[in-house]
Amino acid sequence: MFQHFRFLHPEYEINDFKDGKRYLDFAYIRPTMQICFEIDGYGPHLQKISRWQFSDSLERQNQLVIDGWTVIRFSYGNEMKVGKLETVRKELSHK
């Protein structure tokens, strides 16, 4: 599935349902699939998050799923550990 990175787009811009712009960390786009890879750092994503930001983050992910995206999240520093790509392959093999 992931023979090369031609279909992988960093900082991929999408329109959200509120007519605004959102940016995915990485988007892997093929005719039959759209995969969003998000890498979340503890500091900017959790440490000082407000209730509104927390709700917005969940709403953003839900809208991606509703729009047909598969969303895969990693924590910063954990994204490149051995076995992560294999985990992704197994998860997506049934799609």
Side-chain angles (χ1 to χ4, degrees), residues 6-80:
R6 182 174 66 171
F7 303 104
L8 186 67
H9 308 279
E11 293 296 317
Y12 188 75
E13 182 180 298
I14 60 168
N15 294 317
D16 71 5
F17 72 102
K18 298 176 186 176
D19 295 324
K21 301 288 185 196
R22 301 279 187 152
Y23 294 89
L24 310 180
D25 288 344
F26 295 93
Y28 186 81
I29 302 173
R30 298 294 307 262
T32 59
M33 71 175 71
Q34 299 179 114
I35 305 170
C36 167
F37 294 99
E38 290 290 296
I39 302 170
D40 298 328
Y42 177 73
H45 290 279
L46 293 175
Q47 210 168 33
K48 295 181 181 177
I49 194 169
S50 69
R51 285 181 184 249
W52 180 87
Q53 290 168 316
F54 178 72
S55 294
D56 185 62
S57 176
L58 296 176
E59 186 175 346
R60 174 183 182 267
Q61 180 166 331
N62 290 341
Q63 288 301 317
L64 286 168
V65 172
I66 289 167
D67 288 342
W69 287 86
T70 298
V71 179
I72 299 175
R73 301 185 87 103
F74 296 100
S75 64
Y76 182 80
N78 193 29
E79 71 279 1
M80 297 306 290

